[in-house]
Structure formats: structure tokens, C-alpha cells
Amino acid sequence: ESRVLANALSGKKGVIKSKAENGKLFGSVGVDEILLALEAVGVKIEKQVIVLEKAFKEVGVYEIPADFGHGVKVTFELVIEAA
């Protein structure tokens, strides 16, 4: 099952629109927001799969690692845009 989810996630792009000024977000984007963005593109995964050192506080494009265990790892693209 983890390989199926990893394949579904691989190459996907999540997009989050958040209030921002001069590239800085009002607040931050964390795992919960990322999960919602992935659900919007048809991928539903567990919270603990996403490997995130800290929440994002700036607009930009990020490569996010996901670790499904048993050596199954993929990355996906996250775009944070100013709303």
C-alpha cells in the first residue's frame, strides 16, 4: 500500500494560496495545509509521512520529502503563492 501511495504522490504538485506581503506569509504553512493541498489534487496520505523540519513562512516553490517507511521515499512539489 505504501508503494501505491508513493507512486500516486510522486510528481504531484500541491498549491497553497496564503495571505502574504513582500513574499512573507501572514502566519505559516505546515503539514496540515500541505495535506489539504494534496487532497485537492487527489492524493490522501497520513500526516506522519511528510518530512518537514519547520513550517514555511515565505512564498515560493519547495521540494517536500515524504517517507512511507520500508525504504519507500518520494518528493513532491509544493507551491506557496500570495493570495
Side-chain angles (χ1 to χ4, degrees):
E1 180 184 341
S2 59
R3 282 202 193 282
V4 171
L5 289 171
N7 286 339
L9 180 59
S10 182
K12 289 287 187 194
K13 177 168 75 172
V15 178
I16 296 174
K17 293 183 186 280
S18 185
K19 290 186 179 181
E21 186 175 301
N22 297 327
K24 303 279 186 196
L25 300 177
F26 293 121
S28 61
V29 169
V31 173
D32 292 334
E33 294 81 9
I34 294 169
L35 290 174
L36 289 173
L38 290 175
E39 284 183 26
V41 294
V43 178
K44 187 168 175 66
I45 58 173
E46 298 295 322
K47 191 175 199 169
Q48 64 269 18
V49 169
I50 296 182
V51 181
L52 200 62
E53 291 181 21
K54 59 184 178 184
F56 297 103
K57 297 182 184 251
E58 296 181 356
V59 297
V61 179
Y62 302 93
E63 287 293 318
I64 309 295
D67 187 346
F68 290 88
H70 308 291
V72 180
K73 298 178 182 181
V74 297
T75 60
F76 62 95
E77 189 174 270
L78 177 69
V79 179
I80 303 175
E81 299 175 342

